[in-house]
Amino acid sequence: MRQARKRLGDLLIEEGLITLEQLRSTLEGKSRQQKLGEALIERGYITEQQLIEVLEYQLGIPHISLFHYPFETNLFSLISKETARRNLIIPLKKEGNKLFVAMANPMDFIVIDDLRLSTGFQIEPAIATKDDILRTINKYYDVDDGFDELLDELQQNEKGRADDVTDLDSPIVRLVNQLLSNAVIQRASDIHIDPQETKVVVRYRIDGVLRNERVLPRHMQSVLTARIKIMSNLDITEHRIPQDGRIKLNLDFHPVDLRVSTLPTVYGEKIVMRLLDMGSTLNDLSKLGFNSLNMKRFNEMIEKPTGIVLITGPTGSGKSSTLYAALNKLNSEAVNIITIEDPVEYQLEGINQIQVNTNVGMSFAAGLRSILRQDPNIIMVGEIRDKETAEVAIRASLTGHLVLSTLHTNDSIGTVTRLIDMGVEPFLLASSLSGIVAQRLVRKVCRDCVEIQEPSKREQEIFAKRGMKIEKISRGRGCSSCNMTGYKGRLALHEVLVINDEMSRAMMNGESFQKLKEMATKNKTIFLIDDGLLKIKQGLTTTEEVLRVATLE
């Protein structure tokens, strides 16, 4: 008698990968079309690799890692690149009349039948992760797709033909599309195109760290720059001043929004493209990694009807994501929310967003004054850069508005001294400031290759210094999912400083930084370093990552 196949949810609970509560909430929250596995990955309960290992057991279909697989490249002619991409399949090898194919969904019998008819082989499926398949398609199908052709063409005609940069089938267009699609697959946040004396280097910033993607010959620089400028509606004849633009396009059935910035350097224009993922789940405060006490304090701050809440940290520390998540939580038809930003990164429905334009006199301060005549309840100022903006923002918060903004400082208490240093009157600051959140991003340990290790003597000392104990440390070994780095994804460390009456009085009396720090400690403030150490204890990140962004006093 054939044994009944166990359901996926039961198997995952048996393996201890999810709890019954997580399974129930996922089943209730997912749409009818969405598969359970996809919904669990989306919520971050399991990784794709863990799902595949359970599916292998459930379906009896082997799973395979494509990272160092010895592909028979002549088989790629059997399946076109479009088919491979659309159905997430890749041919592995053939034996007799059997064709072995890696699939993200080995239960898609329609695709298997289509393959059998189009290739004439019996199809033997294996399971591979979606990222693995897309990376392989890009690596082998695009193997310098049109690259040599482009080099020859450019060598014959130094400038390249003018229509090359607009002709959708030309090699330069294919090359730019390939660079963008690789960046999306590798989850890069920025693409850097750096001109150097003899070459052009393309680098991706992945999880906050830059790494080289490819090196192009120097004479390709002009057509590459021209193509990107045309895509982002910039002036291709202007090379002497910085320019900013935006590209919106669909890559692999996925909407991508890019912010483009050009900067004239000694060897030509450097281009940086910031990828803004429109399908990002970062609009949910609960997914930003706040611990329970910080979350409670931050919610109390933003739910006050008046006052100013500041989010601080260096560039690229996730301040905008936290601000947008807070706005998303506050967004309802009962309130009028207006933002002034430079530039507007994510467009949010139901929120009035204004773009700073200094060329026509639309600065943060000028825009903010106009906003106050628009009967707002909540105002977000992209960044406080000068005394004028700070004063208008503070006065707005004193006249019955909730103001959210960002500032570049090292920690939460340093923000107070920075604003007073800017020339803001201490009494104004004391009466308007509700709270300050200092934030940094650290890389998360890859869940597919995590290993539990003993903490070193130095690590035990660090924890002891902050009055904590540590028994075990999680570290990534390095695998195909994380590109052998041991890290995948990022999470935020927070320091939430609540400004209470005692602190307001101390600010008005011009108390020292040290005195404010003592008050914050007495008020049970969790400092950046402490939040980092708590996240190391939970096995989310490593000591090296925390010490990279937070200082041990």
Side-chain angles (χ1 to χ4, degrees):
M1 192 175 124
R2 187 164 175 265
Q3 191 184 350
R5 198 164 74 205
K6 280 193 177 172
R7 289 183 308 182
L8 178 64
D10 298 336
L11 281 171
L12 289 165
I13 290 171
E14 264 177 40
E15 291 291 316
L17 295 172
I18 59 168
T19 63
L20 185 60
E21 189 47 51
Q22 287 173 334
L23 177 64
R24 279 194 186 131
S25 70
T26 307
L27 286 168
E28 282 165 19
K30 78 179 184 71
S31 64
R32 186 170 282 184
Q33 295 80 23
Q34 196 179 26
K35 295 190 181 71
L36 173 62
E38 281 173 14
L40 287 165
I41 291 168
E42 200 176 273
R43 284 167 172 73
Y45 294 148
I46 57 170
T47 68
E48 211 176 345
Q49 193 63 40
Q50 290 168 334
L51 174 68
I52 278 181
E53 284 163 13
V54 172
L55 283 175
E56 175 180 37
Y57 174 72
Q58 188 199 22
L59 306 173
I61 296 172
H63 92 270
I64 193 159
S65 167
L66 307 176
F67 199 62
H68 288 307
Y69 192 84
F71 287 97
E72 295 178 22
T73 44
N74 56 333
L75 294 178
F76 293 147
S77 57
L78 292 172
I79 299 172
S80 73
K81 180 177 165 183
E82 279 63 42
T83 309
R85 238 203 191 127
R86 193 173 56 249
N87 300 314
L88 295 171
I89 53 177
I90 196 105
L92 298 168
K93 59 177 181 180
K94 69 171 201 264
E95 285 176 8
N97 70 336
K98 285 182 181 171
L99 178 66
F100 290 81
V101 178
M103 305 177 71
N105 178 12
M107 301 304 285
D108 197 334
F109 299 116
I110 296 169
V111 171
I112 292 174
D113 274 354
D114 286 351
L115 277 180
R116 188 167 50 78
L117 292 169
S118 63
T119 62
F121 287 100
Q122 277 299 107
I123 304 299
E124 290 287 332
I127 318 175
T129 66
K130 183 174 157 187
D131 285 354
D132 230 359
I133 291 174
L134 283 171
R135 206 181 291 124
T136 308
I137 291 171
N138 270 15
K139 187 174 172 185
Y140 287 97
Y141 277 98
D142 287 343
V143 59
D144 295 336
D145 190 6
F147 196 56
D148 299 332
E149 182 191 330
L150 176 62
L151 287 185
D152 296 343
E153 200 171 290
L154 285 169
Q155 274 155 356
Q156 286 158 19
N157 172 6
E158 260 312 286
K159 291 272 186 278
R161 293 198 315 274
D163 59 356
D164 270 351
V165 287
T166 51
D167 174 9
L168 293 181
D169 286 330
S170 76
I172 186 68
V173 172
R174 292 210 302 273
L175 174 71
V176 171
N177 289 349
Q178 189 187 322
L179 290 174
L180 296 179
S181 112
N182 277 354
V184 170
I185 287 164
Q186 293 185 43
R187 294 196 176 88
S189 59
D190 302 83
I191 304 169
H192 287 239
I193 297 171
D194 295 334
Q196 294 176 7
E197 193 172 1
T198 57
K199 57 186 187 253
V200 178
V201 179
V202 179
R203 296 186 292 169
Y204 290 165
R205 188 180 290 283
I206 301 168
D207 289 341
V209 180
L210 277 169
R211 60 173 78 127
N212 281 7
E213 171 66 11
R214 71 172 357 149
V215 176
L216 305 173
R218 175 68 203 249
H219 55 253
M220 284 183 64
Q221 185 187 336
S222 56
V223 278
L224 186 62
T225 306
R227 172 63 192 156
I228 292 168
K229 281 184 163 184
I230 282 171
M231 289 172 81
S232 41
N233 291 325
L234 299 178
D235 182 354
I236 61 169
T237 59
E238 182 56 81
H239 309 292
R240 297 158 304 170
I241 56 167
Q243 296 185 65
D244 288 307
R246 207 162 184 148
I247 303 175
K248 275 193 170 182
L249 74 165
N250 262 332
L251 277 177
D252 309 330
F253 322 106
H254 183 74
V256 179
D257 200 342
L258 295 117
R259 216 174 70 205
V260 182
S261 164
T262 72
L263 184 74
T265 68
V266 179
Y267 297 118
E269 287 175 285
K270 172 178 165 70
I271 298 176
V272 176
M273 295 185 270
R274 162 73 54 93
L275 280 91
L276 306 169
D277 184 2
M278 294 295 103
S280 170
T281 53
L282 280 186
N283 284 343
D284 186 351
L285 264 183
S286 60
K287 291 195 172 77
L288 293 180
F290 278 96
N291 70 39
S292 51
L293 177 66
N294 280 348
M295 185 73 178
K296 179 171 166 283
R297 287 179 168 181
F298 185 58
N299 274 328
E300 282 168 5
M301 275 180 210
I302 62 172
E303 279 162 8
K304 283 184 180 172
T306 63
I308 184 163
V309 177
L310 294 172
I311 298 181
T312 76
T315 312
S317 57
K319 299 189 295 292
S320 300
S321 297
T322 306
L323 272 182
Y324 282 123
L327 286 181
N328 215 35
K329 183 175 165 58
L330 298 169
N331 191 4
S332 76
E333 64 174 55
V335 291
N336 176 18
I337 302 178
I338 306 182
T339 77
I340 178 157
E341 305 167 61
D342 181 23
V344 172
E345 286 193 16
Y346 296 97
Q347 280 140 11
L348 298 175
E349 207 173 314
I351 290 178
N352 311 288
Q353 293 170 282
I354 304 167
Q355 169 90 37
V356 165
N357 186 349
T358 43
N359 299 337
V360 293
M362 177 63 139
S363 64
F364 276 120
L368 195 47
R369 284 197 180 92
S370 309
I371 287 173
L372 291 172
R373 293 194 284 274
Q374 288 277 322
D375 180 33
N377 299 93
I378 298 165
I379 301 168
M380 175 185 129
V381 184
E383 193 184 327
I384 291 178
R385 293 178 185 166
D386 50 40
K387 179 188 174 184
E388 193 185 4
T389 313
E391 286 194 335
V392 181
I394 284 169
R395 287 181 200 283
S397 71
L398 287 170
T399 52
H401 305 93
L402 173 66
V403 180
L404 304 172
S405 189
T406 71
L407 197 68
H408 289 258
T409 58
N410 289 334
D411 56 15
S412 55
I413 300 166
T415 307
V416 176
T417 42
R418 168 102 171 84
L419 284 165
I420 291 170
D421 190 43
M422 260 186 193
V424 176
E425 293 291 348
F427 74 89
L428 277 179
L429 200 55
S431 48
S432 63
L433 202 53
S434 297
I436 304 162
V437 179
Q439 180 170 322
R440 297 289 187 284
L441 289 179
V442 290
R443 292 185 290 171
K444 279 158 78 174
V445 173
C446 172
R447 284 161 63 182
D448 291 329
C449 60
V450 62
E451 286 182 333
I452 305 298
Q453 298 178 358
E454 288 285 309
S456 67
K457 194 164 185 299
R458 170 81 181 121
E459 282 170 329
Q460 288 173 339
E461 282 169 12
I462 290 166
F463 274 82
K465 207 171 180 183
R466 304 299 297 178
M468 296 188 213
K469 274 190 175 155
I470 181 79
E471 266 108 48
K472 57 185 192 298
I473 295 265
S474 299
R475 273 202 178 78
R477 194 175 51 247
C479 65
S480 59
S481 300
C482 60
N483 248 337
M484 293 317 204
T485 58
Y487 296 102
K488 189 171 183 186
R490 288 191 289 176
L491 83 158
L493 306 183
H494 300 99
E495 175 175 307
V496 179
L497 179 72
V498 178
I499 307 291
N500 56 17
D501 295 344
E502 189 188 3
M503 224 161 199
S504 295
R505 277 197 300 276
M507 280 155 60
M508 279 170 77
N509 298 336
E511 294 283 6
S512 68
F513 179 90
Q514 204 48 47
K515 187 86 168 82
L516 291 173
K517 185 140 203 184
E518 282 165 21
M519 285 181 180
T521 310
K522 193 173 110 186
N523 198 18
K524 294 192 167 58
T525 300
I526 298 171
F527 293 103
L528 274 173
I529 185 77
D530 301 324
D531 196 31
L533 297 182
L534 289 169
K535 279 169 180 156
I536 296 169
K537 281 188 86 152
Q538 292 168 337
L540 297 173
T541 186
T542 62
T543 322
E544 295 82 13
E545 278 296 296
V546 171
L547 292 181
R548 189 170 58 83
V549 298
T551 50
L552 195 65
E553 290 114 50

